[in-house]
Amino acid sequence: MTLIEKLENNQRLTLEDGVALYDLDLFTLGKYANQRRRTLHGNKVFFNVNRHINPTNICKDICKFCAFSANRKNPNPYTMSHEEILSILDNSVKNNHITEVHVVSAHNPDAGFEWYMEIFSKIKERFPSLHVKALTAAEINFLATEYNLSFDEVIDKMIEYGVDSMPGGGAEIFDEKVRENVCKGKVSSAEWLQIHELWHKRGHESNATMLFGHVEKREHRIDHMLRLRDLQDRTNGFNAFIPLVYQRDNNYLHVDDFLSSTEILKTFAISRLMLDNIKHIKAYWATSTINLALVAQEYGADDLDGTIEAEAIQSAAGANSAKGLGLQSILELIETSGFTAVERDSLYNELKIY
Ligand code: V47
């Protein structure tokens, strides 16, 4: 069967197929990705009203691509108190009616296990209906190592303290050689997958990211997608795949060739086609720009992430996302692009169709 026949017949694609998809022209690729996307989601573009909080930027790990960590070129280390976090959320809940808080921290060995965990029960106590999406597999691995706990023990604590779902961060790129180069010492690929598997087995859901556009090759991206597809076949716990476009400023990863918009759109389209068992492809506007994230909705993506309010990780590396995006702007942008805006909750239940 040729590649086009496989696409026409919705056949499962192999590593070789995935790499060969990059050789198709963007419009042919986009046609098939868009067909899949429309079969799954019609004309809908999903977003949520959320707030990102990054409670500390002090990190014992050294990832070359990271401009957020205070150990690197960023001279302003900080660790928020729980009161500070709760008062930020008071404002976000009252004024912006957020439905989700996304909490991702650096790996701070001085903060303490309780500092990492107790904030979740405090959030739940004050805002019982707020969805807490928190702790990447990289943070869970850090907490397990630092406090001599098993992954199961950390996960049990997360559940006890009120974490509802896990974000997809820390996946970077699974290929071991590339990983060793860009984020040596942090959670391994096998551990990242194992932690998500344990989380899914408890009946909980999570997302999966992929950092691309740095030193990885096309086949590494496809390999990354396939490792996620394999796990999803077993657990069905991933809600969304999120390809994160590498931002280049203020870090220690020297990259000469930056991706073209065509390569970025192809990667969204290919992820839609390869990941036949993950329902949502998120074009996280903070890394792709909102403009390209909207175009990506024609090339396989169906989600933009949300209002965010304050973004610290990608903006530290040059993205124009520090202040989030207003609800009204998101709605106007989706509608003027010819799509139906759908506000969702964190698990993709539809809250409001505009
Ligand atoms: O894993 C770090 C990435 C991620 C850079 O699950 C960078 O809904 C680009 O995981 N250029 C954390 N990216 C963010 C994250 C996330 C974001 C939005 C939604 C969800 C979700 C998860 O940020 C890290 C890393 O891959 N990152 N530095 C950079 N220079």
Short mmCIF file of all heavy atoms in Angstrom, two decimals, residues 94 133 182 337:
data_model
loop_
_atom_site.label_atom_id
_atom_site.label_comp_id
_atom_site.label_asym_id
_atom_site.label_seq_id
_atom_site.Cartn_x
_atom_site.Cartn_y
_atom_site.Cartn_z
N LYS A 94 -12.05 35.54 40.79
CA LYS A 94 -13.06 36.60 40.93
C LYS A 94 -13.22 37.40 39.63
O LYS A 94 -14.33 37.60 39.15
CB LYS A 94 -12.61 37.53 42.06
CG LYS A 94 -13.75 38.36 42.63
CD LYS A 94 -13.41 38.91 44.00
CE LYS A 94 -13.32 40.42 43.86
NZ LYS A 94 -12.26 41.05 44.55
N LYS A 133 -4.40 21.30 37.52
CA LYS A 133 -3.53 20.53 36.61
C LYS A 133 -2.11 20.84 37.07
O LYS A 133 -1.67 21.99 36.97
CB LYS A 133 -3.76 20.99 35.16
CG LYS A 133 -2.76 20.39 34.17
CD LYS A 133 -3.27 20.42 32.72
CE LYS A 133 -3.62 21.77 32.20
NZ LYS A 133 -2.64 22.37 31.29
N VAL A 182 20.34 17.62 25.35
CA VAL A 182 19.60 18.85 25.68
C VAL A 182 19.15 18.93 27.14
O VAL A 182 18.93 20.03 27.66
CB VAL A 182 18.38 19.07 24.75
CG1 VAL A 182 18.82 19.18 23.30
CG2 VAL A 182 17.30 18.00 24.91
N SER A 337 -11.45 33.57 12.19
CA SER A 337 -10.76 32.55 11.39
C SER A 337 -11.75 31.55 10.81
O SER A 337 -11.33 30.58 10.15
CB SER A 337 -9.75 31.79 12.24
OG SER A 337 -8.88 32.67 12.87
#
